[in-house]
Amino acid sequence: MLKVNRNYQKLPGSYLFSDIAKKVAAYQEKNKDADIIRLGIGDVTRPLTPSVIAALHKATDEMADEKTFHGYAPDLGYDFLRQAIAEKAYRSRGCDIAPDEIFVSDGAKSDSGNIQELFSEDAKVAVTDPVYPVYVDSNAMSGRLGDFDSATGKWTRLTYLPCTAENSFVPELPKEEVDIIYLCLPNNPTGTTLKKTELKEWVDYANRTGALIIYDAAYEAYISEDDVCHSIFEIEGARECALEIRSFSKNAGFTGVRLGYTVIPKDLTRDGVKLHQMWARRHGTKFNGAPYIIQRAGEAVYSDAGLKEVQETVGYYMKNATVIREGLLDAGYSVYGGVNAPYIWLKTPDKMTSWDFFDYLLTEKNIVGTPGSGFGPSGEGYFRLTAFGTYENTLRALERIKK
Ligand code: PLP
């Protein structure tokens, strides 16, 4: 008889955001007139910018003519896009990344979920806690994390690196031996980040111990402070111990368009094998390339006009972040993040649990946020609000909270 992958049965509940959507739908069903403001999920609200729309139109017209029609894209991405990324995202920041070290994909969620396929079942994983749930769930599906202990809310074979107000959201280096470390900076959900010197310690640690850093830089466009790296490859030694995942979702609004990429330096070797070669093989076998039209839109993001538009979009959301941050501070909350990231992480008042605060905000203020405990045990007692709403709704939400 066919046996299924039982590791799926070990996963607790459903994906966090499906749980939230169900709760909100049930509330809306009972309160049809409720004017709910959603500051929960990390989806964007600003439309695609003029440069991107123009590129989409142009590429669409090309597809209508047999002379300029494009079929399957190259598995690893079109050269025009890989060149633009290498130049504008890396070399302009002094990072030595070649176009053929960039693997274009349909987004950072797929890459961050799929990358663990390259590693053995007994590889030891470490995550910062709280954490973007995809890293944990994808490793759990592969059976790498042992069992989920519902009493502690922890996987038995996963190393948790707590990030809380007590350590100013700076994780300590692992005390036990680990093989893979996921770092998401600026961080989802806490909105905090590391200074260059702090990140350097992680690179040095990985090179010392042979651990691999999977660096998720999906929010790099939101960095406003100088001593924060946009890429881990700004740190000396990172080419030997890290790969980096990026997205077009949060800078250019591609959440519904789908485009991302992973950078794997050719020098990065583990267990005598180049990870670059492995990922190329994996991509070639399981992925038929991101669509031509979308890759042209991605190229437009790196044009002079496109880069300016990204800055405007990011500026719009960061204005929201300031409204949320300052509004919450005025209302007496302890607030973190929102300076180098579109996420604001707050301590729940009166020692409420994260889900109790979720219910309070939903029912009393008709505001949807995300309970911190959904991101890991150290997220308990915290709550995430996002700056991705409209400015008007963000202002209205904060008025409601301050009342
Ligand atoms: N990585 C992090 C840390 C995220 O927060 C998200 C989305 O919320 C993603 C990746 C997913 O990005 P994409 O839309 O490119 O799949």
Side-chain angles (χ1 to χ4, degrees):
M1 202 174 62
L2 173 67
K3 291 200 172 142
V4 297
N5 177 352
R6 286 276 153 198
N7 295 315
Y8 278 64
Q9 262 55 42
K10 295 181 185 173
L11 293 166
S14 49
Y15 189 60
L16 171 64
F17 294 102
S18 334
D19 284 345
I20 293 172
K22 274 188 222 139
K23 273 196 169 235
V24 176
Y27 179 78
Q28 186 97 69
E29 182 60 31
K30 281 201 213 119
N31 302 274
K32 292 216 164 27
D33 297 333
D35 172 19
I36 295 178
I37 302 177
R38 290 162 205 273
L39 300 181
I41 195 162
D43 202 355
V44 297
T45 50
R46 300 301 298 152
L48 297 176
T49 60
S51 306
V52 169
I53 291 293
L56 284 170
H57 281 296
K58 182 163 177 281
T60 305
D61 287 342
E62 285 178 47
M63 296 299 264
D65 183 335
E66 67 182 298
K67 289 197 279 310
T68 47
F69 168 78
H70 285 76
Y72 287 126
D75 304 329
L76 309 185
Y78 280 104
D79 276 346
F80 61 77
L81 180 57
R82 299 169 92 193
Q83 297 272 1
I85 294 169
E87 203 46 56
K88 298 291 167 68
Y90 291 100
R91 288 178 180 162
S92 65
R93 291 199 176 276
C95 302
D96 174 25
I97 295 296
D100 65 356
E101 294 178 314
I102 295 161
F103 297 79
V104 176
S105 73
D106 65 350
K109 187 174 192 177
S110 322
D111 284 357
S112 60
N114 291 330
I115 196 77
Q116 47 74 32
E117 281 183 31
L118 302 192
F119 310 110
S120 71
E121 203 177 297
D122 59 0
K124 193 84 177 49
V125 179
V127 291
T128 53
D129 170 28
V131 68
Y132 178 51
V134 174
Y135 315 148
V136 175
D137 288 5
S138 58
N139 276 287
M141 286 168 177
S142 295
R144 212 170 274 122
L145 304 188
D147 293 304
F148 185 73
D149 177 354
S150 47
T152 59
K154 290 185 175 180
W155 290 90
T156 52
R157 225 182 143 265
L158 176 62
T159 298
Y160 292 82
L161 307 167
C163 294
T164 60
E166 283 67 43
N167 61 10
S168 306
F169 302 94
V170 178
E172 263 184 50
L173 296 171
K175 292 195 176 61
E176 63 224 39
E177 202 177 300
V178 297
D179 301 308
I180 302 170
I181 302 157
Y182 286 84
L183 291 181
C184 171
L185 297 168
N187 189 257
N188 175 16
T190 66
T192 58
T193 194
L194 297 187
K195 296 192 177 80
K196 276 186 187 163
T197 47
E198 291 163 340
L199 184 58
K200 172 91 169 72
E201 285 181 31
W202 284 88
V203 169
D204 291 347
Y205 168 87
N207 278 326
R208 218 166 44 237
T209 61
L212 171 77
I213 297 176
I214 298 178
Y215 193 81
D216 187 335
Y219 298 97
E220 67 80 28
Y222 290 84
I223 294 171
S224 66
E225 293 179 326
D226 284 340
D227 61 347
V228 176
C229 291
H230 287 250
S231 163
I232 193 164
F233 299 118
E234 287 174 47
I235 305 279
E236 205 188 321
R239 285 184 60 90
E240 286 79 43
C241 68
L243 59 86
E244 177 165 300
I245 298 170
R246 288 216 191 169
S247 168
F248 284 78
S249 287
K250 313 300 164 104
N251 56 347
F254 277 37
T255 54
V257 177
R258 311 305 309 140
L259 195 66
Y261 57 92
T262 290
V263 179
I264 308 190
K266 292 202 191 111
D267 327 13
L268 184 58
T269 304
R270 287 294 179 273
D271 195 14
V273 183
K274 283 188 186 300
L275 299 189
H276 184 279
Q277 260 171 17
M278 286 182 82
W279 193 238
R281 187 72 174 86
R282 194 250 170 223
H283 238 43
T285 301
K286 297 196 178 181
F287 187 58
N288 249 343
Y292 172 72
I293 299 171
I294 307 303
Q295 294 198 48
R296 280 292 183 201
E299 181 191 26
V301 169
Y302 289 109
S303 65
D304 290 346
L307 287 169
K308 213 166 142 258
E309 290 161 5
V310 164
Q311 270 182 7
E312 281 160 18
T313 305
V314 166
Y316 178 95
Y317 293 131
M318 288 312 278
K319 199 164 118 190
N320 290 347
T322 306
V323 167
I324 301 174
R325 223 184 117 75
E326 291 181 356
L328 289 172
L329 286 169
D330 280 354
Y333 285 86
S334 300
V335 186
Y336 312 94
V339 175
N340 294 299
Y343 294 118
I344 288 88
W345 190 242
L346 58 119
K347 195 111 192 66
T348 57
D350 306 327
K351 297 201 159 56
M352 281 168 106
T353 68
S354 299
W355 277 107
D356 283 349
F357 189 67
F358 173 89
D359 290 335
Y360 161 79
L361 270 196
L362 177 62
T363 57
E364 302 295 320
K365 310 279 180 185
N366 287 178
I367 295 169
V368 182
T370 313
S373 55
F375 297 100
S378 297
E380 182 55 276
Y382 291 91
F383 200 78
R384 191 191 77 174
L385 292 174
T386 91
F388 286 127
T390 63
Y391 182 63
E392 294 70 28
N393 275 346
T394 306
L395 282 179
R396 288 200 305 132
L398 266 292
E399 283 313 312
R400 288 185 195 173
I401 290 176
K402 283 198 258 179
K403 244 184 217 160

